[in-house]
Structure formats: C-alpha cells, structure tokens
C-alpha cells in the first residue's frame, strides 16, 4: 500500500509551470508542436498509470491512488494546463494515499491545477480592496462549493448556501500566477470574519485557510462521506451501512489516517461473497485484461506510441472514460448502469476482439490459449461464456469471450 505513495512524479509543479510559460511563448510560432507536446504529458500519464498498476505487487495501492485522483477530479481546460494536471495527481495526491486525509486535502486545494480548474483566479471578495472600482469583479463560489460538497462533508452534509459563500469568501485571495505558482493576495480577500459550519475565521490569511481545511477534514460528515465513497467504489453500488459506519469510525479514531479506513475496507472485501459484484470501469478493465494476457508494466512502457494511443488512449474514450476528461468535478459515475449503455459495451467487445492480438504482436508474442487464461484468473466455477471459450472457432474469439465474460467484467 505504502509503495504506491513512493513513485517519483512524472512532472513536478515547477516543470509544469515552466511548460506553461514556454507554451505561451512558442505556440504562436508552431501550434502543432506545442499542442502535441502538451498531449504527450497526458499520454505519458496514462501509460505510467497502467504500467504502475501492472507492476505493483499489490494492485490495491494503485487502485486507491486512482480513486483519490477521481475524488479530486480536475480537467485541463487548455493545452498548457495539461502538465499541471499530471503534477496534481503525482505531487498532491500520490504521496498522501497512505497518510492523513488532511494532508492530501491541503495539497490538492492549494495546487495550481485545482485553482485553475475551479476558476479561483476570478474570485474576489465583494468588499475587498481589489474590488473597489472594478464593477466586473466578484466572488466565484466554485472552489468553496466543491470543497464542501464533493471533497469533504459531502452533498448530504450539514452545510447550506451561506456556508458555501462564506467558504468562498475565506478562500478569496488564493490565486495562481504562472511564474510563482499558488500565492495569496490579501487585496482580493473579503474583509471581516467568515463563519463556516458554526466556526469563526476572523483572519485573512493562508493560515486561516489551513485551519478551515483542518476542521473540515476532522468533521464527522467528512468521515461518512469518504467512507461511503470508498465502499461504493470498492465493494458494491449499494454497500452495507454497517461497513460505512465502521470505516468512518476508524477514520475519526485515527485522526483521519486513511490506512485505518483501508484496513476495515479490505477486511470486508476478503470476507464478502466470492461472486463478483462491482462492474469494472474501462481503465480498470483494460488493466485487468492486460494482466490476464501476461502484459507487464515494462511491456506497456515499450509499446510503440502510435499503437498505444490507438488501442489504449482512443479506446478509453470509446468506452466512455477518456483519461482525465471528466465532464464535471464530481468524477466518473460509480453505478454500473452508467457504464452498460449498448455503445459502451460494444466498444469493450471490439477492443477484446482486436486489441490483445495487436498488443502482443507488437511485443513479439502470440495470444495465450483461453484455457491458460481461465486457469490463472478464474479460481472459482465459471459461467458458460468462460467455460466454452476454449472451444471457440479461433483463439482470438476465445480470448475475447473470456475478457468480456460477466465474471471478468466485474470484480
């Protein structure tokens, strides 16, 4: 588990900010070159995510990392922001997946990518020094709303619209500057005391923002919200409330130690029914397919760029999960109905029939016999789609039958 937190970043914040500067300076001269350079950061992030998942001796750590990357969803709105997205997941999320939630929360909330994504640079206190004489300036509630609704106490949490606005007022002053990163401009801050969930915050400072994040991370509603999201993602679309309560209790008893929640969670996974319940989302399913085919992390790193982009990057989009391109800040949907649309299932079938052979051919290997895949990855009794796959007309169709079987689509 802790190994997932130790991988060095693909792109540091300083490197991402320098790319932002270089992009702005060079894109007018050669727009195609700079846009491809930006896209290479995203493609590299996908390749790295898959390679690490296949290399990890305990796949749970990388799945937890992907969970938190989705919990704190951001989507680049411009090419020059793409490296910052990579920095956010690698520097603000990964180091904290086996630590305390509050540390991750602070790192993400103050990261330039989150500020850009939620338009924090547009947020100015209505009565601030900066707003004086600027009729077009005003408060932007995006960061304050998502901090409460999505990242901490949750949509059902004990907050109201006034708490959202007061949170936005306290956060006003946080901005991103390309050459400096995240800074606090007190001229943009709303003067006076903000009251959020019954707690007063009288100062205009980064320290006061940190105090807010401390309090939100320690709130019982945050414990329940995080526990529920983890249980829904890892156990079932409708997990037992008793499991959620035990995970939340472990979180609060340990002062927000995420590993305490994971221990309760993994204990429930070990003891649950052997029948797969949770539908794998496209990225997780592709990783499971590659593992079943005997593809290693090193193999993924060695795949030609054009093949990788076609059979992995483009295919994720066809399956409804284009990498780091969620439609909104609430992340990818968890309930399986969202992933079972006919066109999305058809995209998986097309992939299973063609991509394995292309990938293995590029690595100088042939498709494995379906029976060997079954023996390695199906320790329990299987349904007819798996049982009959070794008798398929071709090895290609036999392997596709295994990868698209209900038992393999779920975990």
């Amino acid at each position: 588990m802790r190994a997932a937190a130790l991988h060095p970043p693909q792109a540091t914040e300083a490197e991402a900010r320098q790319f932002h500067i270089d992009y702005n300076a060079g894109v007018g001269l050669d727009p195609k070159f700079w846009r491809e350079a930006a896209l290479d950061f995203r493609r590299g992030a996908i390749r790295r995510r898959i390679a690490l998942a296949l290399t990890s001796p305990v796949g749970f750590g990388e799945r937890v990392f992907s969970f938190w990357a989705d919990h704190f969803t951001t989507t680049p709105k411009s090419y020059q922001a793409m490296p910052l997205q990579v920095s956010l997941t690698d520097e603000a999320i990964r180091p904290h997946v086996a630590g305390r939630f509050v540390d991750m929360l602070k790192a993400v909330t103050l990261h330039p990518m989150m500020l850009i994504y939620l338009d924090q640079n547009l947020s100015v206190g209505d009565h601030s020094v900066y707003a004086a004489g600027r009729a077009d300036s005003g408060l932007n509630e995006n960061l304050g709303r998502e901090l409460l609704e999505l990242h901490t106490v949750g949509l059902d949490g004990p907050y109201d619209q006034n708490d959202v606005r007061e949170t936005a007022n306290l956060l006003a002053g946080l901005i991103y500057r390309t050459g400096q990163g995240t800074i606090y401009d007190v001229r943009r801050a709303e003067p006076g005391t903000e009251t959020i969930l019954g707690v007063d915050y009288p100062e205009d400072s980064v320290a006061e923002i940190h105090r807010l994040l401390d309090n939100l991370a320690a709130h019982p509603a945050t414990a329940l919200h995080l526990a529920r999201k983890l249980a829904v993602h890892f156990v079932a679309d409708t997990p037992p409330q008793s499991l959620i309560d035990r995970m939340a209790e472990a979180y609060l008893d340990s002062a927000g130690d995420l590993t305490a929640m994971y221990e309760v969670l993994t204990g429930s996974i070990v003891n649950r029914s052997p029948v797969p319940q949770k539908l794998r989302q496209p990225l997780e399913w592709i990783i499971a397919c590659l593992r079943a085919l005997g593809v290693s992390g090193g193999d993924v790193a060695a795949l030609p760029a054009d093949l990788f982009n076609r059979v992995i990057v483009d295919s994720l989009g066809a399956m409804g999960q284009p990498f780091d391109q969620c439609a909104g800040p609430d992340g990818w949907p968890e309930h399986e109905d969202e992933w079972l649309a006919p066109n999305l299932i058809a995209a998986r079938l097309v992939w299973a029939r063609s991509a394995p052979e292309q990938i293995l051919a590029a690595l100088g290997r042939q498709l494995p016999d379906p029976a060997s895949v079954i023996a390695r990855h199906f320790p329990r009794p299987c349904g007819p789609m798996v049982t009959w796959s070794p008798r398929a007309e071709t090895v290609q169709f036999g392997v596709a039958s295994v990868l698209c079987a209900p038992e393999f689509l779920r975990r």
Side-chain angles (χ1 to χ4, degrees):
M1 176 68 237
R2 296 190 184 279
L6 300 178
H7 298 293
Q10 174 190 342
T12 66
E13 182 191 322
E15 291 168 341
R17 288 193 284 108
Q18 186 59 53
F19 180 88
H20 196 160
I21 294 169
D22 295 342
Y23 181 99
N24 289 342
V27 68
L29 300 175
D30 193 343
K32 183 177 180 180
F33 169 83
W34 284 101
R35 287 169 185 166
E36 283 299 311
L39 287 168
D40 280 343
F41 279 91
R42 173 179 285 165
R43 295 163 183 153
I46 305 173
R47 192 187 289 258
R48 186 169 186 260
R49 180 84 63 91
I50 294 172
L52 287 175
L54 292 172
T55 303
S56 173
V58 182
F60 180 73
E62 288 302 317
R63 282 169 53 198
V64 162
F65 167 69
S66 291
F67 168 84
W68 290 115
D70 186 65
H71 179 76
F72 291 110
T73 288
T74 60
T75 300
K77 298 178 180 180
S78 64
Y79 287 100
Q80 56 265 52
M82 287 181 181
L84 282 170
Q85 165 66 21
V86 177
S87 165
L88 181 140
T89 54
D90 280 0
E91 293 189 296
I93 294 176
R94 184 176 287 281
H96 305 294
V97 294
R100 297 168 66 238
F101 175 70
V102 68
D103 297 327
M104 187 190 300
L105 179 66
K106 289 178 179 179
V108 170
T109 304
L110 274 65
H111 193 279
M113 186 64 220
M114 187 61 74
L115 302 186
I116 292 172
Y117 178 57
L118 294 178
D119 301 316
Q120 181 63 16
N121 275 24
L122 302 178
S123 190
V124 177
D126 290 334
H127 304 98
S128 65
V129 172
Y130 187 91
R134 290 183 172 89
D136 60 342
S137 67
L139 196 64
N140 185 297
E141 296 181 356
N142 288 356
L143 182 58
R145 182 177 302 281
E146 309 314 346
L147 176 60
L148 295 174
E149 182 176 304
L150 299 179
H151 300 164
T152 58
V153 297
L155 184 61
D156 297 326
Y159 72 94
D160 58 23
Q161 174 57 28
N162 187 64
D163 290 307
V164 171
R165 191 159 186 86
E166 289 285 84
T167 302
N169 275 325
L170 183 59
L171 296 171
L174 279 180
I175 56 173
Y176 166 64
R177 288 286 180 262
T178 307
Q180 300 170 275
T182 298
I183 64 171
Y184 186 79
D185 184 353
V186 71
R187 299 174 307 146
R188 293 169 169 257
E190 179 70 8
T193 297
E194 284 81 28
T195 302
I196 302 164
L197 300 180
V199 178
D200 290 340
Y201 298 89
E203 299 178 9
D204 297 326
S205 67
V206 174
E208 202 75 322
I209 293 172
H210 276 260
R211 189 164 72 90
L212 167 67
L213 298 176
D214 284 330
N215 290 338
L216 289 176
H219 201 287
T222 297
L224 280 170
H225 178 57
L226 299 181
R228 182 177 293 106
K229 282 198 69 173
L230 279 163
V232 167
H233 183 78
F234 284 97
V235 177
D237 287 356
T238 308
Q241 185 61 44
S242 60
L243 171 62
I244 295 170
D245 292 340
R246 285 188 289 114
M247 290 172 64
E249 182 179 7
Y251 176 92
L252 294 172
D253 289 347
S254 64
D257 182 356
L258 295 175
T259 59
M261 284 212 300
Y262 302 155
E263 289 174 4
V264 177
L265 175 65
T266 53
S268 75
I269 293 174
V270 169
N271 296 321
R272 73 180 179 179
S273 167
V275 179
Q277 299 181 43
K278 186 68 183 180
L279 185 73
R280 286 172 164 145
Q281 295 179 11
L283 178 58
E284 184 186 349
W285 178 72
I286 285 180
I287 291 170
C289 290
L290 295 175
R291 186 178 288 112
L293 295 168
V295 177
S296 68
D299 291 334
V300 169
L303 288 175
D306 59 341
L307 176 66
F308 183 85
N309 293 339
R310 186 175 71 255
V311 302
I312 302 295
V313 180
D314 294 347
S315 296
L316 283 171
M319 296 176 197
Q321 196 176 33
F323 191 79
D324 281 344
Q325 298 177 69
C326 285
D330 51 347
W332 298 112
E334 285 289 351
H335 290 272
E336 67 174 44
D337 290 350
E338 300 286 344
W339 301 105
L340 291 177
N343 62 310
L344 302 183
I345 292 297
R348 297 200 194 201
L349 292 169
V350 169
W351 192 94
R353 288 177 180 176
S354 60
E357 190 170 26
Q358 295 178 59
I359 291 169
L360 292 175
L363 298 171
R365 303 206 290 267
Q366 294 183 332
L367 283 170
D369 181 81
S372 67
V373 177
I374 295 170
R376 288 198 308 271
H377 297 279
F378 290 87
R380 52 187 171 266
C382 305
M385 195 167 178
V386 173
T387 303
W388 287 91
S389 61
R391 306 179 190 179
E393 184 176 346
T394 65
V395 173
Q396 180 187 32
F397 282 109
V399 168
S401 295
V402 174
L403 300 181
C404 291
E407 302 96 312
F408 198 85
L409 287 172
R410 288 177 168 79
R411 53 166 165 79

